[in-house]
Amino acid sequence: MRILSGIQPSGRLHIGNYLGMMEPAIRLQNEGEAFYFIADYHALTSTHDPAVLRENVRGLAIDFLACGLDPEKATFWRQSDVPEVTELTWILSCVTPMGLLERCVSFKDKIAQGVSPSHGLFAYPVLQAADILIFDSDIVPVGKDQKQHLEVTRDIAQKFNDRYGDELLRIPEPQIREETATVPGLDGRKMSKSYDNSIEIFEETEKKLRKKVMKIVTDSTPVEDAKDPEGSYLIQLYELFASKAEVEEMKASYRAGGTGYGHYKQQLFEKIWGAFEPMREKREALIADPDYVEDVLQNGAKRAQEKAREVLDRVRKATGLGR
Ligand code: AQP
């Protein structure tokens, strides 16, 4: 079983990225042939400063390794070190109907946010399809926001196979965990860098993290009154880190009244800080050893490139490209 997933180096990692993609990816590295990459070609759609892009790639590599990605088990590389994927993107573009891309919600969402769209932003589901299909991937662990893009990938693979030959491209399956499908942000919408509602996994100090958690939007029920646990983002976030019994205790305390939201936020803060505490030390060691991190990415790129060439050669032959 080949597992593939990618993540954009577009800023600091948040709890949504971690629970939606990184944590499942790290777990799955023990269950199959894992391929994980830093999607720097994708980040070009939004990051236009070369120094920032480089720094984000470096930071993401460090954070993923600190969280438990094991380069002995998983192949881990920088997307642009395997440029074969851009050739496959072009080939797939030629079987991709415009309508398929026009229907993509995440593109429409970016437009609604006022982003002036480039062709890259519009076409990025095709690059994503190439990322997945070039490794004959079976399973793609992602958050729910990527579900539609995975369907696009499957459609593109099917169209390619219909045109050039059955089973030329392997049709992948998304793997979306119910509990962490959409991690809510401070305001209850999907946690997302572009909504400015994120809680970062490696906030620099406890004070900064506490300040962030205190910003979670709650209603204005007075301290002494009973509170409704249903639909509380605070509880939804607490559920991701606390045991069942602890969640039940918080819910009961909500219903009983007499406790302010600040108290519950403090409990949540402690859980989040504690969850990432063991990774901080490893992260510091990785920050101090940039050569090791670069070696991991280079070695990963070599392995990834070998696999990518196999599929690309098959595709080139089938389409009539080359000799
Ligand atoms: N809130 C979330 N809940 C669950 N999963 C999430 N993911 C992102 N946000 C959530 C998952 O993280 C993986 C990496 O996604 P990405 O590289 O596309 O990161 P992103 O989309 O850049 O994260 P943002 O913050 O949502 O960025 P913007 O605002 O730029 O779109 C994916 O598997 C994704 O599902």
Short mmCIF file of all heavy atoms in Angstrom, two decimals, residues 34 65 127 159 307:
data_model
loop_
_atom_site.label_atom_id
_atom_site.label_comp_id
_atom_site.label_asym_id
_atom_site.label_seq_id
_atom_site.Cartn_x
_atom_site.Cartn_y
_atom_site.Cartn_z
N ALA A 34 5.32 5.01 2.70
CA ALA A 34 4.83 6.38 2.87
C ALA A 34 5.66 7.38 2.06
O ALA A 34 6.89 7.34 2.09
CB ALA A 34 4.87 6.75 4.34
N LEU A 65 9.49 16.78 10.89
CA LEU A 65 10.42 15.80 11.49
C LEU A 65 10.28 15.82 13.02
O LEU A 65 10.26 14.77 13.66
CB LEU A 65 11.87 16.12 11.08
CG LEU A 65 12.20 15.87 9.60
CD1 LEU A 65 13.53 16.52 9.22
CD2 LEU A 65 12.26 14.37 9.29
N LEU A 127 -2.03 19.97 -10.81
CA LEU A 127 -0.71 19.68 -10.23
C LEU A 127 -0.87 18.70 -9.07
O LEU A 127 -0.09 17.76 -8.92
CB LEU A 127 -0.05 20.99 -9.76
CG LEU A 127 1.27 20.89 -9.00
CD1 LEU A 127 2.34 20.16 -9.80
CD2 LEU A 127 1.78 22.28 -8.60
N LYS A 159 -10.18 9.73 -16.76
CA LYS A 159 -10.23 10.26 -18.13
C LYS A 159 -8.98 9.86 -18.90
O LYS A 159 -9.03 9.52 -20.07
CB LYS A 159 -10.34 11.80 -18.10
CG LYS A 159 -11.68 12.29 -17.60
CD LYS A 159 -12.15 13.53 -18.32
CE LYS A 159 -13.50 13.98 -17.84
NZ LYS A 159 -14.56 12.98 -17.91
N LYS A 307 10.75 6.62 -8.40
CA LYS A 307 9.36 6.16 -8.57
C LYS A 307 8.66 7.01 -9.63
O LYS A 307 7.92 6.51 -10.47
CB LYS A 307 8.57 6.29 -7.26
CG LYS A 307 9.09 5.45 -6.15
CD LYS A 307 8.62 4.01 -6.28
CE LYS A 307 9.22 3.16 -5.17
NZ LYS A 307 9.22 1.75 -5.44
#
